[in-house]
Amino acid sequence: MSRILVFANQQGDGLSSGAKEALAFGSRLASSTGGEVRSVTLGPFAETGAKEAIASGASIAYTISNPLLAEYDVELFVNSIHTVFQQSGADILILSFDKMGKDLVGRLATRNCASAITEVVDFHTSNDKLTLVRPIYGDKAYGEYTTTRSKVVVGIRQKSQELAEFDETATGEIIPVDYSPSEEIIVTKLVVKIQSALSDIRLEDASIIVSGGRGIEGAEGFNMLQTLANLLGGTVGASRAACDAGWVPSNLQVGQTGAVVAPDLYIAVGISGASQHLAGITNAKTVVAINTDVEAPIYKRANIGVVADYKTVIPALTEKLKKVLI
Ligand SMILES: Cc1cc2nc3c(=O)[nH]c(=O)nc-3n(C[C@H](O)[C@H](O)[C@H](O)COP(=O)(O)OP(=O)(O)OC[C@H]3O[C@@H](n4cnc5c(N)ncnc54)[C@H](O)[C@@H]3O)c2cc1C
């Protein structure tokens, strides 16, 4: 298995951080198997993305520049990537297991009669056999997976890969692919975008996250966390319990089934530290926990623990920081 295709998803006019990780994983795999990495970018900025993919290790970059691909549409994206997967003759399709990847992996695997292996962080190769590695049991162990199918779709766990060096002098071929979807196959149309996140900073890209859990006891408490996050130049996250309660939008969820983050500082406020939550903060550098329960499991992961009511700690910390930072 050495023909590798990476879906290099774009964010604005640049590659997403997940796409860069997928390319880094693909390049590592290619060096180990003697193969080469190809990429596919979609939408009006596909060519810019293709150049970036070449600078990140792709030797051939396929583009589909159709304006209908400007916004994410699952049907159109599956069709487009499937078209390129077939045309490229690749046997491995790699994509970030970010929100979009979670939507695409299973569908692309089904469409291509391929295996789907998700949350992949590493691989081994031996005698031309590829073994993919992913965390299991809420990150307490690693599982190794091989496939008997001739094709595999691999979802790369977010924040698990060191990025490849960006080489602007790298050369490669850009191949435009003709795929002209008709408007009729678009069954769901984006009508209006509503700002639902509390901040412009994506959780996955944030270097400081102030995250709240069930201990926050309601949506109003999150205003306090937001003030602190703004002061620190960070963003707000949440546990699943807080999202399920409707106190914050679900795209703020951190954890196994939410965003996998890697901030320099993660402040967990009123979060118990269930394994599914901790799975999302494995790569956080410093974790500060604020919790009334000294026995809360979050203290096992935290570098700094404050056993107290957040309603006392957060305003006091915010006032102190205002004096220092403003
Ligand atoms: C398949 C599956 C996937 C899941 N995926 C995720 C996921 O991605 N992310 C996730 O977060 N969870 C996930 N969960 C849910 C997870 O198991 C926990 O239920 C959830 O993380 C608990 O959220 P919490 O810590 O906010 O709430 P709780 O466990 O109820 O903890 C609340 C904490 O707040 C403290 N507290 C209470 N009052 C205060 C106060 N005034 N000041 C300070 N501290 C206070 C309490 O001592 C307690 O420790 C998943 C579960 C399953 C089964």
Side-chain angles (χ1 to χ4, degrees):
M1 280 193 161
S2 55
R3 280 165 296 172
I4 300 161
L5 179 69
V6 174
F7 170 46
N9 174 40
Q10 285 167 279
Q11 206 167 14
D13 55 2
L15 294 187
S16 72
S17 53
K20 289 178 194 159
E21 287 194 72
L23 282 160
F25 187 93
S27 300
R28 245 181 350 110
L29 185 55
S31 336
S32 167
T33 56
E36 61 162 9
V37 181
R38 299 181 177 198
S39 68
V40 48
T41 46
L42 308 175
F45 304 112
E47 196 164 324
T48 322
K51 286 180 188 149
E52 229 185 297
I54 289 169
S56 307
S59 50
I60 292 181
Y62 299 97
T63 56
I64 301 183
S65 304
N66 195 298
L68 285 179
L69 299 166
E71 293 288 350
Y72 175 59
D73 176 273
V74 65
E75 205 58 46
L76 291 183
F77 272 47
V78 168
N79 286 346
S80 307
I81 300 167
H82 170 68
T83 304
V84 177
F85 195 24
Q86 287 201 316
Q87 182 170 324
S88 68
D91 33 37
I92 306 174
L93 172 62
I94 300 174
L95 55 158
S96 169
F97 201 55
D98 54 14
K99 276 203 193 85
M100 193 187 286
K102 283 175 186 167
D103 218 14
L104 293 172
V105 166
R107 293 167 196 260
L108 283 162
T110 309
R111 190 73 66 92
N112 289 285
C113 236
S115 290
I117 307 184
T118 58
E119 296 279 18
V120 169
V121 295
D122 207 354
F123 67 88
H124 315 296
T125 49
S126 148
N127 300 332
D128 217 20
K129 189 91 192 150
L130 174 65
T131 304
L132 293 155
V133 181
R134 56 158 294 173
I136 51 174
Y137 304 132
D139 281 15
K140 290 194 173 64
Y142 288 96
E144 298 193 341
Y145 296 82
T146 56
T147 170
T148 49
R149 297 258 168 111
S150 59
K151 286 181 193 282
V152 58
V153 181
V154 178
I156 302 297
R157 180 178 238 196
Q158 295 172 81
K159 301 289 172 192
S160 68
Q161 305 299 310
E162 216 163 281
L163 300 190
E165 220 151 274
F166 193 75
D167 177 7
E168 277 186 272
T169 62
T171 50
E173 193 183 352
I174 296 180
I175 303 182
V177 174
D178 189 25
Y179 167 65
S180 315
S182 67
E183 294 236 22
E184 284 106 68
I185 76 157
I186 306 174
V187 286
T188 314
K189 275 191 188 157
L190 177 75
V191 184
V192 64
K193 273 190 187 171
I194 299 163
Q195 178 81 17
S196 69
L198 304 180
S199 153
D200 287 342
I201 309 170
R202 282 174 78 240
L203 276 174
E204 291 86 347
D205 301 329
S207 56
I208 297 178
I209 298 173
V210 184
S211 218
R214 204 186 329 248
I216 299 298
E217 293 166 359
E220 311 76 50
F222 273 88
N223 296 334
M224 228 186 261
L225 305 194
Q226 183 68 61
T227 309
L228 177 60
N230 290 348
L231 201 59
L232 294 169
T235 193
V236 170
S239 73
R240 175 155 155 187
C243 296
D244 286 355
W247 301 338
V248 284
S250 59
N251 60 348
L252 295 193
Q253 184 180 317
V254 171
Q256 188 184 314
T257 44
V260 177
V261 299
D264 294 328
L265 175 63
Y266 188 80
I267 307 180
V269 191
I271 292 177
S272 59
S275 60
Q276 296 90 352
H277 188 81
L278 298 183
I281 60 168
T282 315
N283 292 323
K285 286 201 187 110
T286 302
V287 174
V288 177
I290 300 167
N291 198 305
T292 43
D293 177 8
V294 71
E295 302 288 338
I298 189 74
Y299 286 125
K300 292 203 178 88
R301 171 64 179 84
N303 305 88
I304 298 168
V306 183
V307 184
D309 187 328
Y310 87 92
K311 291 190 232 64
T312 329
V313 180
I314 299 292
L317 182 61
T318 307
E319 281 316 305
K320 258 283 184 267
L321 284 169
K322 268 187 195 160
K323 288 194 183 119
V324 184
L325 298 173
I326 302 179

